[in-house]
Amino acid sequence: MKRIVPGLLGVIVVGGIVIYQQMRHLPWIVMLETGILGIGVVFSILHFISVWRNRH
């Protein structure tokens, strides 16, 4: 897990930059909302993986 976190943060940063380049014309609130939802999805997936690995 400790090896995954830095890579994941890198992916989030790069993804955020790409999304910003694609969505520059959108209002800040929409971009903020998209970012928060994306972070929520990532943490949900990590939590699901963690729970699944602990069960098996």
Side-chain angles (χ1 to χ4, degrees):
M1 188 67 177
K2 289 181 181 177
R3 282 187 243 156
I4 295 173
V5 172
L8 186 64
L9 291 175
V11 169
I12 291 171
V13 169
V14 171
I17 293 170
V18 170
I19 290 169
Y20 174 72
Q21 293 298 324
Q22 297 295 321
M23 300 181 151
R24 269 192 296 206
H25 60 283
L26 294 178
W28 277 102
I29 196 72
V30 175
M31 285 180 45
L32 183 65
E33 198 173 305
T34 304
I36 291 171
L37 286 173
I39 291 169
V41 167
V42 168
F43 280 119
S44 297
I45 291 169
L46 287 176
H47 178 69
F48 176 75
I49 290 169
S50 171
V51 169
W52 185 79
R53 287 180 69 190
N54 288 337
R55 288 185 69 201
H56 293 293

